[in-house]
Amino acid sequence: MRRALQSMRDGIGFDTMLVILALSYLFVFAGLPLIYNVVISFQTVDVFSLGTLLHPSAGAENYENIFDDRQAGTVLWNTIIFTLGSVAIQFTLGFALALFFHQNFTGATWIRGLFLAAWVMPGLVVGVLWNWLLSGDFGVINHVLESLGIIDQPVFWRSNPDTSLYSVMIANIWYGTPFNMILLAVGLSAIPEDLYEAAELDGANAFQRFWTITLPMMRATIGAVLALGVIFTLQQFDLFAAITQGGPAGSSTVAQYWSWELSFREFDFGRGAVISVLMIVVVLFVSLFYVRSTKAETQL
Amino acid sequence: MTAQIELENVQKHYGTFHALKDIDLSIPKGQFVALVGPSGCGKSTLLRSIAGLERISSGTLSIEGTVVNDMPPRKRDLAMVFQSYALYPHMSVRDNLTYALRLKGVSKADRAKAAQEVAGVIGLQDLLDRKPKELSGGQRQRVAMGRAIIREPKAFLFDEPLSNLDAALRVRMRKEVRALHDRIGATSVYVTHDQIEAMTMADHVVVLQAGVIEQQGAPMALYERPANRFVAGFIGSPAMNFVPGVVTETGRGVRLDMPGAPEIATEIDAAPGRAVDVGLRPEHLAIGASHGTSFPVQVAAVEQTGSSCYLFTEGAPELLVTTDGTSALRAGAAIDLSIAPGQVHLFDPETGLSLRD
């Protein structure tokens, strides 16, 4: 007993306790819901049976229903476009801004800080903001485009099935770019200045220095930023809720929004769970990529 | 013959800070020049200005007769070895060595051949495929040197390249760097805060303080005829003793301002009765009367290194005396000191300038 207490005070007992605490927290609040979610995806769950722990089994029926749904193709395509488009443009803009502010001109730190204002806003607020900006009748964006002569008549961004997904994407890019910029700026500042000086004396021009020093040295950071970008974009819900509600006619519905619609609009929790299970599988692979990237980072 | 690197009246300002003042320096082809001085004296700024990493504020800087004031570093064709080595961590040793050749568009086969050759020169043939993080400090240092050699540049610039190595390796690399310089016959500019490195490696030593060249010349010339008190105290190890004194009536001697100190003959002309600072190197003081008239002092402390012995005397100013071998003297012992004739330096107490010329 005394030995156990002593180990608790200054032995591995204390370490073990800390690990168990953290793990049990994760298990109770993340592990169990995750498992329950997988279980539900194989059951028939409606509003009436929601209160009970166990529900009638549905076999693979929920999965079959989802894959047979005529909306599935659109949703899959929308999700791919939305995720890849958002991440690619966020990353490019974020990298460009990070490089720009890395030049350390007067006020660079200040202005970079201001960019974070977008990132700290709640998603619903950003959604409302872009609702106004994109509004067909009185939106600033239409006004600017019309003044510049790019369009002749107002574009109804949110209610036109051809542009509805892109109107959410624009808002999401605006929302996510500062996050990309900050992470990439941290990666940039971790590259020692004397490497650039050595490369310069070795005869490298600005482009060659970027290509042979900056990019390879940033590989780990870039991997991590891209992985996080995909994960966060797949989590994006607020902007859809605020801007298009997945419409019109499902033209801007992505997987995460569809899952919510099935569960909490149609109260078919089984099918809603199916989509989240499929998304978990995707995110799992992306997380593996993320872990590998950060591991490479610590090894450098 | 035009100088390989020539600086005329070069100034460098950082805002209100005047980092380099009126630098005039001419470096002939093939010479090994050391820039030496205490921290913040401007030696690194001077080197970085030559490299082009800093822009000079005024004056002219030319390389092989071409003014390069506004030329970017990549066009100057100089190679630099950094204190941190600045090896590219994501590249193998081979890729580090051949980076400059790759940028020049040299073919892969030729690059591999050049890497093999240079690796032979610096003794790293077996390590070409390693990454810098898998190398020891000394090996990294060699890669940094190899990266400079492979380019056959107009000049080599060294920024305290040995300061991150341990003492024994530093002494060995000192010799290797110099041998490499002689073999390649390149022009080298070497920055160091270690006057021993400067003295042992360079043909020409430039002593800097507060952005000003205090004196430049051959190492032994600086040792034997320091132009001012700063150079006298900086060059030579251990540092020179300074004792206030007065020039005697004849003008050909000096009396130290110490109890019992005799008149010392000098060959330096000075006004009789003039107050001076007398510089005496520790190695030019001897115990006993071997150099003629002697004066009594008391030993305050003794430090033995085995090969030589440092004696510190009681009272102010404290004198440091070095003798060869070991010594049986202990603190508190009374001894007589004598001064080697012709080894006395006189400086103006106000300006610090040598009275020799």
Side-chain angles (χ1 to χ4, degrees), chain A residues 191-219 296 298-300, chain B residues 48 51-54 72-80 82 84-91 96 99-103 133 147 151 157:
Chain A
I191 303 175
E193 198 51 42
D194 55 8
L195 289 190
Y196 289 112
E197 291 180 346
E200 214 175 335
L201 279 158
D202 271 343
N205 60 31
F207 178 76
Q208 287 166 326
R209 289 198 295 275
F210 178 75
W211 201 250
T212 58
I213 307 287
T214 311
L215 270 189
M217 292 289 288
M218 295 271 289
R219 238 178 70 189
T298 51
Q299 274 171 354
L300 200 76
Chain B
R48 291 171 60 84
L53 297 171
E54 304 285 346
R74 66 192 167 87
K75 297 207 169 134
R76 294 193 185 190
D77 194 19
L78 303 172
M80 185 152 160
F82 290 79
S84 61
Y85 313 140
L87 301 181
Y88 311 122
H90 54 291
M91 298 183 199
N96 263 285
Y99 180 71
L101 303 183
R102 190 175 117 203
L103 293 174
K133 67 173 177 219
R147 193 169 67 179
R151 289 178 39 200
L157 309 177

Side-chain angles (χ1 to χ4, degrees), chain B residues 277-327:
Chain B
D277 277 343
V278 182
L280 301 167
R281 291 203 183 274
E283 55 272 34
H284 295 147
L285 293 172
I287 299 168
S290 53
H291 290 321
T293 42
S294 60
F295 59 103
V297 289
Q298 237 190 353
V299 177
V302 182
E303 289 176 354
Q304 311 237 39
T305 66
S307 63
S308 54
C309 173
Y310 302 146
L311 299 176
F312 297 87
T313 66
E314 202 76 67
E318 184 191 68
L319 290 178
L320 169 58
V321 183
T322 58
T323 59
D324 288 341
T326 55
S327 168

Side-chain angles (χ1 to χ4, degrees), chain A residues 142-152:
Chain A
N142 273 345
H143 177 74
V144 169
L145 291 178
E146 273 181 277
S147 312
L148 291 173
I150 296 173
I151 53 174
D152 299 330

